[in-house]
Amino acid sequence: MLNIASVAPRSEIYGPGVRFVIWVQGCALGCPGCWNTELWSLEPRRLMSPDELAREILRDDGLEGITLLGGEPMHQARGLLRLVRLVRRRGLSVMTYTGFEPVELRAREQRALAMRSDILVTGRYVAAERDVQLRWRGSRNQQVRFPTPRYRGLGPEEANEVEITLDANGVASLRGYPPEWLLDRRRSRLLV
Amino acid sequence: MSLTWVESSAPFVDEECLIDAIEAVGAKWRRQGTTIAVSAPTVGEGITLELRHGAWTLRRLSSEQHRHCELRLVAAYEEASRKKLARLAEEHRRAEEARIRQEKAALVERRRSAIVEKARKQGYDVKERREGTQIRLVLVRRTY
């Protein structure tokens, strides 16, 4: 079973095109300054089988791919590998974020998940290296890798990307790497 | 034998409900100025309603049949009033819901415009997607 913190059925800032984004629950790395500390706990949050999650993803035929982040996806490499196989069969691409460096991926499933990701972002979040001007990552030490040929031609264009969703009640939710003009981080509120 | 007329002490204040009630008990009615003459199936004539001080006052013959007819009319009036109040409450609820929906839509639009305007001033490209009731704004600014 997968332990899921939340999902965004459609997002455009975690990889190329429109993607189904999955934040897994649980991370033992505990990077100081991490933005998602509420995803550290390894306690079950929303348990789903990989097949069940794949069905939910594949209902939308307008997706370019899926993105796995967290939490730490490599803690759930086995289940995620099953999910990746199911969605890749239908032509979706896979992007995975991990706080591990490639040499730290020792389990067979972890290495397989890394190798089956079309884009792999690796490395701890380091608060001293924080940089919201980077595309797809939050600190300068983190690396964007292309284990498969699918996106190797993508240019290294850096960008600050933020996604804001407004629901019918005017409630805004924000994803990505918000700059200071947009978010009061101390009070976790939008400045617009 | 002389005829005795009885006047209802509880006037009917809502004309629409009164007409509904008269028709609900199967009676016919005819209006002449400020008077409505009622002809009911079991009693025939002998019931009139007069508009006084903005409400309709019932006058009827004192017979037992006419008393029963009045009771049926009063019950039908109460039922018509209850239905009218329920209908008005429903109309009010729908109007209020529509007003709140419009206010929320205006709020979302104001917030969307403010975000887009501020983002563009900061040099961001803004892509906008509308999916169902959601608006998704993707703000991108090339950096290095």
Side-chain angles (χ1 to χ4, degrees), chain B residues 13-26:
Chain B
V13 293
D14 188 308
E15 187 175 319
E16 182 188 348
C17 291
L18 174 61
I19 299 300
D20 283 350
I22 293 169
E23 292 176 351
V25 299

Side-chain angles (χ1 to χ4, degrees), chain B:
Chain B
M1 175 177 135
S2 66
L3 292 174
T4 310
W5 286 83
V6 175
E7 189 170 295
S8 167
S9 58
F12 302 95
V13 293
D14 188 308
E15 187 175 319
E16 182 188 348
C17 291
L18 174 61
I19 299 300
D20 283 350
I22 293 169
E23 292 176 351
V25 299
K28 292 187 170 41
W29 57 277
R30 191 178 68 255
R31 182 170 181 172
Q32 285 184 315
T34 56
T35 303
I36 294 174
V38 176
S39 172
T42 50
V43 296
E45 305 294 325
I47 297 178
T48 60
L49 292 139
E50 290 176 14
L51 185 60
R52 288 188 221 154
H53 311 297
W56 293 91
T57 300
L58 184 142
R59 292 182 73 237
R60 63 166 173 81
L61 291 174
S62 61
S63 76
E64 193 63 12
Q65 292 99 317
H66 284 87
R67 190 178 75 83
H68 276 295
C69 191
E70 179 188 354
L71 291 176
R72 287 178 57 219
L73 189 62
V74 168
Y77 179 83
E78 283 170 358
E79 176 64 11
S81 296
R82 192 188 59 73
K83 282 182 180 167
K84 183 175 182 179
L85 287 174
R87 193 186 76 232
L88 291 175
E90 178 62 13
E91 283 170 8
H92 178 73
R93 187 185 66 76
R94 285 188 185 169
E96 192 61 9
E97 275 180 2
R99 187 187 64 75
I100 290 169
R101 246 194 328 272
Q102 282 173 353
E103 276 189 11
K104 281 182 181 173
L107 165 72
V108 171
E109 185 52 33
R110 283 196 300 274
R111 198 159 197 198
R112 185 201 68 81
S113 297
I115 292 168
V116 169
E117 188 183 337
K118 199 160 185 180
R120 287 193 172 135
K121 271 187 193 157
Q122 298 287 332
Y124 283 74
D125 288 329
V126 180
K127 280 190 283 182
E128 184 177 325
R129 312 268 188 250
R130 289 182 186 252
E131 291 163 350
T133 58
Q134 282 197 337
I135 299 174
R136 191 151 47 84
L137 300 170
V138 182
L139 319 181
V140 181
R141 193 185 70 175
R142 300 273 169 247
T143 49
Y144 304 121

